[in-house]
Amino acid sequence: GQSLEQPSEVTAVEGAIVQINCTYQTSGFYGLSWYQQHDGGAPTFLSYNALDGLEETGRFSSFLSRSDSYGYLLLQELQMKDSASYFCAVRGGGNKLTFGTGTQLKVEL
Amino acid sequence: GAVVSQHPSWVICKSGTSVKIECRSLDFQATTMFWYRQFPKQSLMLMATSNEGSKATHEQGVEKDKFLINHASLTLSTLTVTSAHPEDSSFYICSASPQVTDTQYFGPGTRLTVL
């Protein structure tokens, strides 16, 4: 089966740095994606790692270690608008995405 | 670029009726579209994969005769929830991929409430 575990909730202050971890067990793996979802909205693509290492896109970075079946999303210079749910998702065969349990990020003043 | 739309954005229906949800890729051709369901405070669960011109592939536990999928063109896929019941009330989200190896772009979702 497939399983992706994330912390259920993370709280941080505006301007801080926060890391959201994702550990996975899947039968097929082509890469790890990260999506942001605000309440009532659609998931928005943030980042994708197919290979080990760090990918940086503006304030967001994502890391992958395939040997450890582990990845994380790093958000820097947190802003209030970053308060949302964040999902990791494994891309498997047929371009299917299996989503993680989701992390609710709360950014406080 | 890579915009996906869904219609309707929300729908309320009576138990026993059927509801059709449309998913369109507006500025690209989508050889593959995916349908997800998301219950409140939960993750997205893949329901089915829709390939243009061929039968959809439903995930284990998803009844293909209850959740009918049609992908008649490279820009349109439809999901029909047949004989809807209150337990089918959920947020239905589609995604589209320009090619099988490309990123999935998500539609805004359709909130279905079955009374």
Side-chain angles (χ1 to χ4, degrees), chain A residues 20-42:
Chain A
I20 299 173
N21 299 320
C22 172
T23 56
Y24 60 87
Q25 281 187 309
T26 60
S27 55
F29 182 88
Y30 288 87
L32 188 70
S33 298
W34 288 92
Y35 286 84
Q36 178 193 63
Q37 186 182 32
H38 286 97
D39 278 348

Side-chain angles (χ1 to χ4, degrees), chain B:
Chain B
V3 178
V4 177
S5 71
Q6 278 184 245
H7 178 80
S9 55
W10 60 270
V11 57
I12 301 172
C13 70
K14 291 182 178 179
S15 188
T17 60
S18 294
V19 174
K20 180 185 283 189
I21 302 170
E22 293 186 349
C23 176
R24 293 181 185 273
S25 56
L26 299 185
D27 51 4
F28 65 96
Q29 293 186 324
T31 52
T32 306
M33 289 182 170
F34 300 88
W35 287 95
Y36 296 83
R37 181 166 53 182
Q38 185 178 33
F39 292 108
K41 304 293 184 186
Q42 293 188 25
S43 187
L44 284 81
M45 298 298 294
L46 178 65
M47 299 175 67
T49 303
S50 171
N51 293 299
E52 187 268 336
S54 63
K55 282 186 179 180
T57 304
H58 290 69
E59 294 298 300
Q60 192 172 8
V62 179
E63 298 175 56
K64 61 179 175 64
D65 294 328
K66 178 169 179 63
F67 298 99
L68 300 177
I69 291 172
N70 184 276
H71 193 155
S73 77
L74 286 171
T75 59
L76 172 64
S77 175
T78 60
L79 167 69
T80 301
V81 183
T82 63
S83 187
H85 288 96
E87 57 265 31
D88 298 322
S89 298
S90 188
F91 193 47
Y92 291 86
I93 311 172
C94 72
S95 71
S97 235
Q99 297 176 27
V100 71
T101 57
D102 278 2
T103 301
Q104 289 186 31
Y105 297 94
F106 285 81
T110 297
R111 190 160 302 282
L112 170 63
T113 302
V114 185
L115 302 176

